[in-house]
Amino acid sequence: MKKYWKYELKRNLLPLAAFTAIACLICAIFGATSYIVSSWEGTLRAVNSVISTPTVILGILCTLVPVMQFSFRMETRSADLWFSLPVKRERQLLVRLLAGLLLAFIPYTAAYWVQFVILVCRENAFELVHYLTFYLASLPLGALLFGINSFVFSRANTVWDGLAFLLGWSFLLAMPFLYLNTYIYSFSKYVSADAFITYAPLGYAAVWFDGLICGDAEAFAEASYMFPVAAATGVAAYAGLFLYAGRDRAESAGQISDSPWGYKTLLPLYIFFFSACNSPDSGSMFWILSALILVLGFVLYVVYRRSFRLKKQDILLLLLAFAAGVALACFGAYVIAEPIAPPLRIPIDENMAL
Amino acid sequence: MIELIRLQKSFGEKKVLSGVNLTIPDGSIFGLVGINGAGKSTLLRLLAGVLRADGGQILFDGEEIFENEKKKREIFFLPDGPYYATGTTAEKLIDLYSAFYDFDSAVFAEYEQKFQIRRRAPIRNFSKGMKRQLFIALALACRPRCLLLDEAFDGLDPLARLEFKRGLIALNEDNGCTAIISSHSLRELEDICSGFALLDGGEVADAGDIQGALEKVHKFQVALPREAKREDFPFDCLSFEATGRVAKFIARGDREEFLQKIAPLSPLFVEEIPVDFEELFLCEVKARGYLQ
């Protein structure tokens, strides 16, 4: 195990150096060139902490690194090599996961603090302590995102399917809230759909800490439900990774990705929610969008099956999901929809008008 | 000892192995033969712990192999097309295998010289034979107790084949290594293997000791005073061909008994020709209806 860990670290040394150099360079450029303070009316005020740059880098690394670390099981020859080695699959997963976390967090950490030094050298108008608190907060948030992406990606049997799963799961949890926001306009005041995108916790935290660092932050309401959901999905993803590690089938490498965590679930759910969000109130647009959703569904099933000959169950599921979505859209539009408020009548004060 | 007990494996609807029973003694060099798609590679992948069996058992010294780190440390699997990442060099592969096996650098250095392997050159630039030589050198340097080789001789030139066979025999003698080799080069297998198993229809159709199997069959060339016909020979033949008055056949059974049955035909001459493993294999697959 120790030897394997050392080997894994050595194997990742070159990408680690490359990622660190690129991340540091990007953050240094942004740190040195961004508009960070305003001196309006002679008062120096911080306007941009630039923490969004390392945050975007962390988001990218938490997507790219799981792809690098877990694509070995998606090619027969590579699966043959790694699964024939004398190491249990759970241990292999653990080593790859830890090495992956290092591969994501070391470049991020280096870039973050390089940028911090550059910013501090430029101006000192920030609440500096919050650079540290954001950094500390971003680590668990990044780790949760890393876990979710690792789990989702490793359910696929090819790299392209894995990327499609990543994209699909990024937005899936937001879809029910998108439906509610479509028909109940006031609902978005309480629950925002985009808070359920897998990358949202990092993004929201960056925006909030940007405010704290610049000294004008307000607590954001989404935190109360967004972070518990992100934590729960992240922990479940890590548990799922280990749960499935022993069950991974080497013979699935390169085959059709028919995991229940993949197309099988994603496609009907997306067709259902897209149809449900397509309001029947929108006149001819409803019919055009309905046709597009059906065509999109068919295309996605062709991508899933890698053949134009779809199975009967696929076509049935596609139509069922579409029909259920339309039914829910009708329910949304005619039963639960909030009436659109009449235009405001502003009493005209004659004196003012004059 | 390696024991396969009612081993089963399917890929989706397709049943590849349907109850393989086989015992491979310790220290033997064992040939795995069969037509394409017979399940040789699947069997080796199961033995290597790459695939999980759907049913049955694979026991190595009485222990299950799948997910058994301790036992797998004694097994080295060299597949038909071994994997290497883009830009990988022999040196990087040495690092990889050293992390998992007791890698013997001296043995590798010996084969490095024999095969003229370039350590720091990217493997992607190697020819097919050079890649095979490199992986053979790595396999031998890992000093496994069980070596699983899929299409072992594929791409090797005659000299490299010879070196490989020598290395395998040396490993077998020094370490008591059991080697299980799947190959279509049956003449090579005949040279080094003590035992064999013929896979057919997902089962072991025939198995045992190669020399023993060859001794059980006899090939005769007979010249008759008239045109030779199949009906003239009153026994079952594994293969039969006749050209004019000369007939050639391979039959399984007692040599003296065949000679006695041929004698009434008043042959002008009877000659026994040695049968090689490839001929025996062809007869076996012909008898199973694969060749017309």
Side-chain angles (χ1 to χ4, degrees), chain B residues 13-182:
Chain B
E13 305 271 294
K14 195 186 169 202
K15 204 160 207 173
V16 181
L17 299 177
S18 50
V20 170
N21 288 299
L22 188 64
T23 302
I24 301 165
D26 262 343
S28 60
I29 299 182
F30 198 86
L32 214 51
V33 296
I35 59 158
N36 290 331
K40 305 183 294 292
S41 298
T42 302
L43 184 57
L44 288 177
R45 290 172 82 203
L46 283 160
L47 281 165
V50 172
L51 302 176
R52 188 201 289 265
D54 295 336
Q57 283 181 298
I58 305 172
L59 302 176
F60 184 27
D61 295 338
E63 287 183 48
E64 268 285 357
I65 289 175
F66 190 77
E67 290 292 79
N68 184 339
E69 269 184 18
K70 202 179 112 213
K71 280 287 145 200
K72 279 175 85 173
R73 208 162 286 136
E74 299 176 9
I75 300 171
F76 188 99
F77 174 46
L78 181 52
D80 185 14
Y83 174 78
Y84 55 89
T86 321
T88 296
T89 59
E91 211 161 54
K92 284 183 184 170
L93 287 176
I94 292 171
D95 283 346
L96 166 69
Y97 289 114
S98 301
F100 295 98
Y101 296 96
D102 293 327
F103 194 84
D104 191 331
S105 304
V107 171
F108 184 81
E110 184 191 330
Y111 286 96
E112 184 183 19
Q113 204 174 20
K114 279 181 183 165
F115 293 142
Q116 295 180 332
I117 295 165
R118 285 169 294 144
R119 270 194 196 213
R120 288 181 186 162
I123 299 171
R124 65 167 185 270
N125 296 337
F126 286 15
S127 70
K128 186 182 177 185
M130 282 163 70
K131 281 178 200 160
R132 198 75 198 163
Q133 287 171 3
L134 165 65
F135 279 100
I136 283 169
L138 289 165
L140 295 173
C142 285
R143 313 308 280 169
R145 257 197 65 214
C146 176
L147 186 52
L148 307 170
L149 302 160
D150 196 4
E151 294 303 340
F153 303 98
D154 201 20
L156 293 181
D157 63 50
L159 187 66
R161 283 178 186 217
L162 186 68
E163 286 297 348
F164 172 38
K165 284 190 276 186
R166 280 181 184 161
L168 201 57
I169 290 164
L171 182 67
N172 176 258
E173 283 171 357
D174 299 346
N175 272 27
C177 167
T178 306
I180 304 173
I181 310 172
S182 106

Side-chain angles (χ1 to χ4, degrees), chain A residues 3-4 7 10 14 75-91 246-251, chain B residues 9-11 45 48-52 66-67 69 72-73 77 79 81-84 92 95-101:
Chain A
K3 271 182 163 182
Y4 176 33
Y7 169 75
K10 195 176 170 188
L14 190 64
E75 202 210 322
T76 311
R77 292 191 316 140
S78 146
D80 274 3
L81 166 68
W82 289 102
F83 288 145
S84 70
L85 292 173
V87 58
K88 281 189 177 176
R89 290 169 198 211
E90 283 88 353
R91 282 191 199 202
R247 297 189 208 168
D248 278 335
R249 293 159 65 92
E251 62 266 40
Chain B
K9 184 69 193 171
S10 301
F11 295 137
R45 290 172 82 203
V50 172
L51 302 176
R52 188 201 289 265
F66 190 77
E67 290 292 79
E69 269 184 18
K72 279 175 85 173
R73 208 162 286 136
F77 174 46
Y83 174 78
Y84 55 89
K92 284 183 184 170
D95 283 346
L96 166 69
Y97 289 114
S98 301
F100 295 98
Y101 296 96

